[in-house]
Amino acid sequence: MSQDQIRIAQISDLHIKAPGRLAYGRVDTAQALARCVAALNAFAPRPDFVVISGDLVDTPSSEEYEHLTRLLQALELPFAGIPGNHDSRDMMRAAFAQASYASPTGPLDQWVELGGLDLLLLDSSVPGKPHGELDAETLEWLDQTLAGSADRPALLFLHHPPFQAGIWHMDRQNLRNAGELADIVRRHPRVQLIATGHVHRATLTLFAGVPTTICPAPNHAVDLDLAHLREPSFKVEPPAFHLHTWFNGEGFGQVVTHHVPIGAFDGPHPFFGPDGKLL
């Protein structure tokens, strides 16, 4: 791992079903994850770590988590996941028992150290509910962990966005106590990025003065209905993941996020010929 650049791939909203089942009767999420894993393994330069930001399975059930772990065995990169509203904390804790959770019970918060960079994975799931909330235990852990070092940059990951994306049926499911998160973020300037999932669309805004993103999904996208024209719907759009690269530098360095499509595409083709002239 380079100390000058650290690359974190983020995938989100896998929605793995039991073998042979399709999400919403239409989407083969297992095949989509297999394509995504192959793309991550083949990407050069190889990411240093992968964060899976929630909704790893769909129902949830132990059969789905077993299918998920089998599919992830092909991933050649270290990874950690946090639950979304489609997950079960208990089932997920059992499926990924080797993870270094902040507490033996309750929320599945994690702290991952990558060289000079901290990844703080926050459990925003509310058991049995679609919306998100960071409970008091998670907020206290986050505040204390951020206070533990003043000079290490930190990236925060959670499932539910702390802002409105403009899609009516998703906004009513976002993070309910975003103000409490904002208070903590403002106290700790080492937070350089907040990265979320849930909406299945690539989205960017500022939250508490920090760049905040929503990661696209490897399977299907939530319909971009910004005017409440349709009932909750999805589309099968080009799948993608996010690649967050931290560059070491003055202050806390710099984070650049790339939207990476998943699939085989024409190219790359050179701009210039052997003589150096533009083709």
Side-chain angles (χ1 to χ4, degrees):
M1 179 190 307
S2 169
Q3 292 301 306
D4 293 325
Q5 297 183 25
I6 299 176
R7 291 173 289 273
I8 301 96
Q10 181 190 3
I11 63 176
S12 195
D13 297 271
L14 312 182
H15 287 273
I16 296 302
K17 305 285 289 183
R21 299 284 301 276
L22 301 178
Y24 312 107
R26 185 177 293 271
V27 183
D28 189 339
T29 54
Q31 183 183 61
L33 177 56
R35 287 195 303 263
C36 180
V37 166
L40 290 168
N41 288 340
F43 194 87
R46 179 164 283 196
D48 298 297
F49 199 81
V50 178
V51 174
I52 310 175
S53 54
D55 283 359
L56 282 72
V57 302
D58 195 55
T59 304
S61 70
S62 57
E63 189 177 15
E64 290 179 348
Y65 279 106
E66 289 169 4
H67 195 196
L68 168 70
T69 55
R70 286 194 298 269
L71 291 165
L72 289 176
Q73 285 176 0
L75 182 60
E76 299 169 0
L77 306 168
F79 71 90
I82 44 177
N85 50 290
H86 283 256
D87 289 302
S88 159
R89 285 178 174 175
D90 291 340
M91 292 181 186
M92 189 167 165
R93 188 185 290 272
F96 301 102
Q98 76 282 3
S100 298
Y101 299 115
S103 173
T105 60
L108 306 186
D109 304 317
Q110 298 177 66
W111 174 14
V112 178
E113 294 181 79
L114 293 177
L117 181 67
D118 288 340
L119 309 183
L120 301 182
L121 281 59
L122 311 178
D123 182 351
S124 63
S125 67
V126 180
K129 302 293 183 181
H131 67 270
E133 186 171 353
L134 298 172
D135 62 20
E137 181 181 351
T138 292
L139 291 169
E140 182 179 5
W141 174 82
L142 173 63
D143 199 22
Q144 292 180 351
T145 304
L146 287 171
S149 174
D151 57 356
R152 288 173 59 87
L155 313 185
L156 308 187
F157 292 85
L158 66 158
H159 181 67
H160 295 84
F163 63 91
Q164 290 191 340
I167 303 174
W168 64 276
H169 61 97
M170 300 304 295
D171 286 343
R172 66 188 184 189
Q173 300 177 19
N174 62 4
L175 190 72
R176 293 284 175 88
N177 60 338
E180 293 180 271
L181 174 61
D183 289 341
I184 293 174
V185 170
R186 291 190 182 101
R187 282 199 294 272
H188 301 285
R190 72 184 186 107
V191 176
Q192 300 301 292
L193 175 74
I194 302 170
T196 72
H198 190 53
V199 184
H200 293 232
R201 303 203 69 89
T203 309
L204 169 66
T205 190
L206 284 177
F207 172 79
V210 174
T212 303
T213 62
I214 299 175
C215 185
N219 37 51
H220 54 283
V222 171
D223 180 26
L224 189 59
D225 180 5
L226 300 177
H228 200 157
L229 301 175
R230 295 171 289 277
E231 291 304 305
S233 305
F234 69 90
K235 290 184 176 181
V236 179
E237 297 182 359
F241 63 89
H242 270 168
L243 183 67
H244 309 291
T245 302
W246 174 76
F247 295 90
N248 195 8
E250 183 179 354
F252 293 107
Q254 181 182 21
V255 178
V256 175
T257 296
H258 288 278
H259 173 95
V260 184
I262 298 169
F265 304 96
D266 189 23
H269 302 290
F271 289 112
F272 301 94
D275 58 358
K277 293 183 179 179
L278 189 66
L279 293 173

